[in-house]
Amino acid sequence: MADPGAGRGEAHDVLARVAAAIEARKGADPAASYVAALFARGEDAILKKIGEEATETVMAAKDGDRLRITAEVADLWFHCLVLLARHGLGPGEVLAELARREGVSGIAEKAARGG
C-alpha cells in the first residue's frame, strides 16, 4: 500500500499547476486547446466527460488493473479540475474541505451535512 502521507506538498503543487494550466487555456482557441474546446461546448460537455471518466475508472477497478486505475483516476481528476475552474474554484477549496473532514468519522461527517 502506498504511503498516504508521501508527496503531500508535491501533489498539491501538481494539482495547482494543472489548475493554472486549465485557467490559462480555457479562453484559448477551441481548435487548438482541448480545455478551451470543453469550455466552448459548455457545462454539459464537461459533466459528460466526468461521467465517462468515472465509468472508465470503475471498469479499470473491476478489472484490477492498477496502471489503468491510476490513468483513469488521473483523467477523472483532470476533468473535475476543469469543472472546478468553470465554477471559479480550484483544488485549494477541495483540499481545504478534505482537511476539514480529516480525522472526522465518515458517518458523523455525513450526519452533520444532513445526509
Side-chain angles (χ1 to χ4, degrees):
M1 181 175 183
D3 176 4
R8 274 193 181 165
E10 182 181 325
H12 179 268
D13 291 348
V14 170
L15 289 172
R17 286 193 307 271
V18 173
I22 289 168
E23 200 60 39
R25 293 176 185 159
K26 69 183 187 181
D29 177 2
S33 168
Y34 175 71
V35 169
L38 277 176
F39 273 90
R41 292 187 357 239
E43 186 157 337
D44 283 349
I46 296 167
L47 295 173
K48 181 178 178 186
K49 282 304 296 182
I50 289 173
E52 289 172 7
E53 298 303 344
T55 300
E56 290 171 7
T57 299
V58 169
M59 291 169 33
K62 292 287 282 179
D63 291 342
D65 184 336
R66 292 168 53 96
L67 290 175
R68 211 169 109 232
I69 292 168
T70 301
E72 295 302 344
V73 169
D75 289 344
L76 178 58
W77 285 12
F78 174 82
H79 288 91
C80 287
L81 289 171
V82 171
L83 178 66
L84 288 170
R86 171 125 175 121
H87 288 275
L89 299 165
E93 287 88 352
V94 177
L95 293 171
E97 178 61 14
L98 288 171
R100 185 190 68 76
R101 295 180 187 188
E102 192 173 19
V104 177
S105 159
I107 294 170
E109 195 282 327
K110 186 174 181 182
R113 288 186 284 138

